[in-house]
């Protein structure tokens, strides 16, 4: 007994680092009740109706079926490197400048195999499939079993999300945001010790630099091998492109990379980032020092909370918060960059299965980020609450809606993490009647 007490005494000062393995939880099953599916069906029908009635689907520069501008810019960039044309010094389609990495132009080479007139509908179809894949991958991160019922619910959620502005604009312009998000979700859904885990993050960052944030996220989670894999994949994309396209690589990394004005002015209403908020409020470019003064604490808070969520088993909410944080701290974030609202909506639907009040939270978020339109004329239509008339009294709120939604979500997540921390603390009292000095109380969290 005394031998055991000595170990107890030592344990008070040198707690063991060894943890017992607990069996993995069984996969969750999507509720068998048809009520949820019927509700999702109603939401999908409403969303598709809004998608095709708020704007004429064939209206030039706004209709969902006549878009594809950005994917044609991607194709033009790939065509330029095929024909030894400069990638950054000359404008592309409709006078737009190519802003992505030179590695992205290599990735887009297959688009030149698709006839010009078929590129937009092909990319639209691809993006719809990827949207469905993002929803399914979100369920996987939540621990659900994949089956026909879950696939049906995912298809309905994907159709519902087609109307929110980030997705609607991604589909219309033929953007690549959904594909990048699927790569990141795939990485975080894999086992920590899986081979080449992190590769998807590195490839996504090689195409568009914003996903570099997820390497920082992996470091914060102390997933060193995954972070190293992602970093090496990104560096590999840079080195490979420099060997293949030395002139364009030199131009991008020594000049174009620093020309933020190639994207749009900070004051553009579609700049849904902290820097955009400052520019909207100041009616001019945001000072660098003021932006950093706000962005760095938000960056730190996002990392801390995302790490805490992962520790509590909230894998989907953790990576979703990281995605949203990457948008809010980026110098310039178009509305379509915020496709990370999709997994957030999936998470809210998941929580609503145990507490119907979460449906209200999902509805509020959905209305806040919907692809609501304003018809300035018969041919000029804006999409998104931040593009509603600036003369409206509520315009300062609408113009910064995504950042406001992020800050509300950040606060709610902070409360959630605090509650999880408190509920996970177990008070254990160890008593020894023969030697009261050995009595101790330990708190394990």
């Amino acid at each position: 007994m005394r031998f055991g007490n000595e170990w107890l005494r030592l344990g008070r000062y040198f707690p063991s680092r060894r943890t017992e393995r607990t069996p993995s939880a069984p996969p969750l099953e999507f509720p068998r009740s048809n009520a949820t599916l019927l509700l999702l069906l109603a939401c999908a029908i409403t969303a598709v109706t809004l998608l095709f009635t708020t704007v004429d689907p064939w209206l030039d520069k706004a209709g969902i079926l006549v878009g594809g501008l950005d994917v044609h810019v991607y194709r033009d960039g790939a065509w330029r490197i095929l024909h030894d044309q400069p990638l950054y010094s000359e404008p592309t389609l409709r006078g737009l400048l190519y802003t992505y990495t030179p590695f992205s132009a290599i990735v887009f080479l297959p688009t030149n195999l698709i006839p010009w007139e078929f590129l937009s509908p092909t990319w639209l179809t691809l993006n719809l499939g990827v949207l469905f894949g993002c929803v399914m991958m979100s369920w996987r991160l939540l621990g659900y079993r994949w089956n026909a019922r879950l696939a049906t619910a995912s298809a309905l959620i994907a159709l519902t999300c087609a109307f929110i502005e980030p997705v609607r604009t991604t589909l219309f312009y033929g953007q690549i945001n959904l594909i990048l998000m699927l790569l990141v979700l795939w990485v975080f859904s894999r086992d920590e010790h899986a081979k080449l885990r992190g590769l998807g993050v590195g490839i996504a960052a090689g195409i568009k630099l914003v996903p570099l944030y997820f390497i920082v996220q992996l470091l914060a989670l102390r997933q060193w091998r995954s972070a190293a894999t992602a970093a090496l994949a990104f560096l590999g994309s840079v080195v490979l492109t420099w060997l293949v396209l030395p002139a364009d690589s030199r131009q991008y990394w020594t000049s174009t990379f620093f020309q933020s004005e190639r994207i749009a002015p900070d004051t553009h209403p579609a700049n849904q980032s902290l820097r955009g908020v400052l520019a909207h409020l100041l009616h001019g470019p945001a000072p660098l020092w003021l932006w950093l003064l706000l962005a760095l604490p938000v960056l730190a808070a996002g990392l801390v909370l995302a790490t805490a969520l992962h520790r509590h088993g909230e894998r989907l909410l953790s990576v979703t918060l990281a995605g949203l944080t990457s948008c809010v701290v980026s110098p310039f974030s178009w509305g379509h960059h915020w496709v990370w609202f999709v997994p957030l909506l999936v998470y809210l639907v998941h929580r609503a299965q145990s507490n119907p009040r979460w449906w209200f939270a999902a509805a509020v978020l959905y209305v806040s980020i919907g692809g609501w339109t304003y018809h300035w004329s018969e041919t000029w239509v804006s999409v998104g609450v931040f593009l509603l008339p600036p003369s409206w009294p509520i315009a300062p709120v609408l113009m910064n809606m995504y950042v406001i939604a992020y800050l509300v979500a950040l606060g709610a997540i902070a409360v959630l993490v605090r509650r999880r921390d408190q509920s996970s603390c177990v008070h254990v009292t160890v008593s020894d009647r023969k030697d009261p000095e050995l009595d101790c109380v330990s708190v394990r969290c």
Side-chain angles (χ1 to χ4, degrees), residues 20-226:
E20 296 182 1
R21 286 185 173 271
T22 56
S24 58
L28 298 175
E29 297 285 351
F30 201 78
R32 296 182 179 180
S33 170
N34 291 326
T36 298
L37 287 179
L38 290 175
L39 178 57
L40 293 177
L41 176 61
C43 292
I45 293 174
T46 302
V48 173
T49 302
L50 289 170
L51 186 65
F52 283 90
T53 57
T54 52
V55 180
D56 180 354
W58 297 103
L59 179 64
D60 186 35
K61 298 181 181 180
I64 189 68
L65 298 179
V66 291
L69 174 61
D70 286 348
V71 70
H72 280 89
V73 171
Y74 303 157
R75 188 181 190 274
D76 189 70
W79 182 90
R80 286 173 179 274
I81 65 173
L82 278 176
H83 295 81
D84 199 26
Q85 299 291 321
L87 189 58
Y88 298 104
S89 59
E90 298 179 5
T92 64
L93 187 68
R94 294 188 183 179
L96 296 175
L97 296 173
Y98 197 85
T99 59
Y100 288 178
T101 66
F103 174 71
S104 68
I106 296 178
V107 173
F108 294 133
L109 283 174
T111 59
N112 279 266
L113 300 175
I114 305 173
W116 181 270
E117 63 272 19
F118 295 117
L119 181 59
S120 293
T122 300
W123 200 260
L124 175 63
T125 304
L126 173 65
N127 261 332
L128 286 172
V130 172
L131 175 60
F132 171 77
C134 289
V135 176
M136 288 292 288
M137 199 63 68
S138 297
W139 291 118
R140 180 175 180 178
L141 278 160
L142 286 168
Y144 279 81
R145 186 193 304 278
W146 282 7
N147 53 32
R149 192 174 184 83
L150 186 65
T152 301
S154 298
L156 295 175
I157 292 175
L159 289 174
T160 302
C161 288
F163 179 70
I164 65 173
E165 187 277 332
V167 175
R168 198 261 187 216
T169 309
T170 293
L171 296 175
F172 169 71
Y173 283 117
Q175 264 285 337
I176 198 173
N177 306 299
L178 290 169
I179 296 175
L180 300 181
M181 183 170 69
L182 182 61
L183 285 171
V184 174
L185 289 173
W186 170 65
V187 167
F188 281 85
S189 70
R190 302 181 68 200
D191 184 85
E192 271 188 46
H193 305 290
K195 291 182 179 180
L196 296 181
R197 184 177 182 269
L199 181 63
V201 168
I203 293 174
I207 297 172
K208 197 172 185 177
L209 297 179
V210 174
L212 282 172
Y213 180 86
F214 292 98
I215 299 180
V216 180
Q217 174 75 3
L218 290 169
L219 291 173
L221 295 175
R222 299 185 179 183
Q223 297 178 7
W224 313 119
R225 187 168 68 175
S226 298

